[in-house]
Amino acid sequence: MENRKGTRTYTENRPAPLFLIFHFLFPVFLLSAGCGAPGDPVPPMPLVPAAITDLAAHQAGDGVQLSFTLPSNSVSGDSLPAPPAVEILRGAAKPDGSADAKSFRLVATIPGALVPDFVTQKRMEYIDALSPQDPQTGAAATFVYRVRTRASRKRASADSNTVLVQLVPVPQRIPVVESKVTESAIELSWAAPTTTSAGSPLSTAVGYHVYRAEVDPGSFKVAEEKHSPSDFKTPLVQLATSSTASYQDSAFEFGKTYLYVVRGAVTANGLAVESDDSQHVIVTPLDTFPPAAPQSLVAAVLPGAAPGSVLVDLSWSINLETDLAGYRVYRSEQEGARGQLVTADLLLTPAVRDTSVEPGHRYWYTVTAVDRAGNESAPGTPVVVEVTQPSQ
């Protein structure tokens, strides 16, 4: 409306619209948010394997063999992506036989990449080698062990259970094992030890434990090489005990390759304690042994199938070899000569009929036995046959 002259004009005092307030304050909120310093990034928690709870130990020669089950999960229950590294801790015992917690030292670390080489039947096995000349390994020395694992450098697992092992003197290592292959056995022999591994005279009787494994001959060219369990086609297991410095292994197969080790053993506290392994001896027995010569060969001249023909019927005693493949029959018209084969193929039974003879001839027959390896026996006692014209 038009203002009249002398009339005062004014503006009404009303509140500002809400959209204007938001438009003004929104940049302020952004500015304040940008000026605040964020917290430092939190690093991921390191993967910590679960503690080992089944550590076991026993004396193995001059060392201590440890065995345990590797953890497969972390303490939070997550699966470990790879085998963890293993740390071996060795300590001493107090006079009362308990573990001295302050004495533990790290004595070995097995990287995770090498851990599978020490696993046998889902348990890891590791030998802590000790020198028999070390004063700490004297008679009745007691060692205490714990193990732990590590999936990262930042944090290891908790220590395992604690085990104590009391060492006793063992026989010196057998340096050489001789082998000889016969038709029925692989014969092993060695020199009996006379001292302990530390050089003291043996005061107890020594027995022997014979171990055998089947191996790939290409992997075992040097008997003194150290090999992991994965190098064996079958595990190295105790085959037998012997009270003498020899053993005959009759449970073998020709053509397979075997590795043998022998350990001297003494009895301490009711248990057998073994020496270190002898030198490995590797044997591949080959069947070069022919069967026995067939016996009791007999021959008879009989009428043939056609009128006027004759044949020689031959038979002999059966051979008893388990690997027998068959027989060969030879015929000659000269005494002392082997002659020609009566049949080209091996005979599977101890009998044959020779239908190719002619009347008026004299023949000498011999028989040999052949095994599955192709070994042929010496000829049996020959028989001579006079073939006459059959009577009409």
Side-chain angles (χ1 to χ4, degrees):
M1 179 173 67
E2 182 181 69
N3 291 330
R4 294 182 181 179
K5 188 177 178 179
T7 304
R8 188 172 53 189
T9 303
Y10 65 94
T11 302
E12 197 169 329
N13 188 18
R14 297 176 181 175
L18 290 176
F19 78 89
L20 292 177
I21 298 173
F22 180 78
H23 181 73
F24 174 76
L25 293 178
F26 181 72
V28 178
F29 293 151
L30 292 179
L31 183 61
S32 62
C35 292
D40 293 334
V42 179
M45 293 294 292
L47 199 60
V48 180
I52 292 167
T53 60
D54 62 348
L55 174 63
H58 66 271
Q59 183 174 354
D62 292 310
V64 175
Q65 179 167 309
L66 307 174
S67 65
F68 50 89
T69 303
L70 283 169
S72 57
N73 296 321
S74 69
V75 292
S76 60
D78 298 323
S79 297
L80 298 178
V86 175
E87 297 177 347
I88 309 296
L89 306 172
R90 185 207 304 151
K94 294 180 179 180
D96 63 0
S98 62
D100 183 355
K102 297 181 180 180
S103 67
F104 282 94
R105 298 291 184 271
L106 179 65
V107 295
T109 299
I110 301 95
L114 299 182
V115 163
D117 293 340
F118 295 86
V119 175
T120 301
Q121 296 181 350
K122 299 184 178 180
R123 284 183 68 83
M124 180 166 178
E125 296 183 349
Y126 176 82
I127 294 182
D128 180 26
L130 302 167
S131 171
Q133 281 71 38
D134 191 329
Q136 292 183 330
T137 61
T142 299
F143 290 95
V144 188
Y145 288 90
R146 294 173 181 166
V147 296
R148 64 191 180 206
T149 59
R150 189 184 293 273
S152 69
R153 295 182 179 180
K154 294 183 178 180
R155 187 176 172 187
S157 71
D159 289 347
S160 70
N161 57 303
T162 302
V163 294
L164 287 80
V165 179
Q166 184 178 22
L167 299 185
V168 300
V170 296
Q172 68 183 106
R173 173 179 178 266
I174 296 169
V176 177
V177 177
E178 302 287 349
S179 65
K180 178 183 177 182
V181 178
T182 68
E183 186 174 5
S184 59
I186 297 174
E187 299 180 354
L188 306 174
S189 60
W190 54 90
T194 57
T195 65
T196 68
S197 58
S200 302
L202 281 168
S203 58
T204 57
V206 178
Y208 304 97
H209 295 175
V210 181
Y211 289 78
R212 187 186 77 178
E214 185 185 348
V215 300
D216 179 357
S219 301
F220 285 81
K221 295 181 180 179
V222 181
E224 279 299 303
E225 290 180 354
K226 296 296 183 182
H227 300 272
S228 67
S230 60
D231 294 330
F232 293 81
K233 296 178 70 173
T234 62
L236 183 68
V237 296
Q238 185 174 336
L239 179 66
T241 61
S242 176
S243 59
T244 62
S246 63
Y247 177 71
Q248 294 187 357
D249 178 15
S250 58
F252 74 98
E253 293 182 40
F254 286 113
K256 291 187 175 181
T257 300
Y258 299 100
L259 178 144
Y260 294 91
V261 296
V262 180
R263 301 170 187 166
V266 294
T267 301
N269 301 322
L271 299 175
V273 183
E274 298 178 329
S275 71
D276 284 335
D277 288 353
S278 69
Q279 178 191 27
H280 298 160
V281 59
I282 300 172
V283 184
T284 303
L286 300 177
D287 186 0
T288 59
F289 307 96
Q295 301 295 317
S296 306
L297 174 63
V298 295
V301 178
L302 302 176
S309 65
V310 293
L311 58 83
V312 175
D313 183 82
L314 301 162
S315 63
W316 55 93
S317 299
I318 191 170
N319 279 52
L320 301 179
E321 288 84 2
T322 58
D323 63 340
L324 186 72
Y327 303 94
R328 290 174 179 156
V329 176
Y330 296 88
R331 188 187 74 187
S332 173
E333 294 190 46
Q334 293 182 351
E335 184 178 7
R338 175 169 290 193
Q340 303 297 318
L341 286 170
V342 173
T343 61
D345 298 328
L346 285 177
L347 298 168
L348 303 182
T349 58
V352 69
R353 285 186 168 181
D354 182 8
T355 59
S356 62
V357 294
E358 297 180 3
H361 287 254
R362 177 183 294 173
Y363 299 102
W364 281 265
Y365 289 93
T366 56
V367 181
T368 63
V370 181
D371 64 18
R372 288 194 291 268
N375 299 303
E376 186 174 10
S377 74
T381 303
V383 296
V384 61
V385 178
E386 294 278 359
V387 180
T388 58
Q389 186 70 34
S391 60
Q392 298 297 321

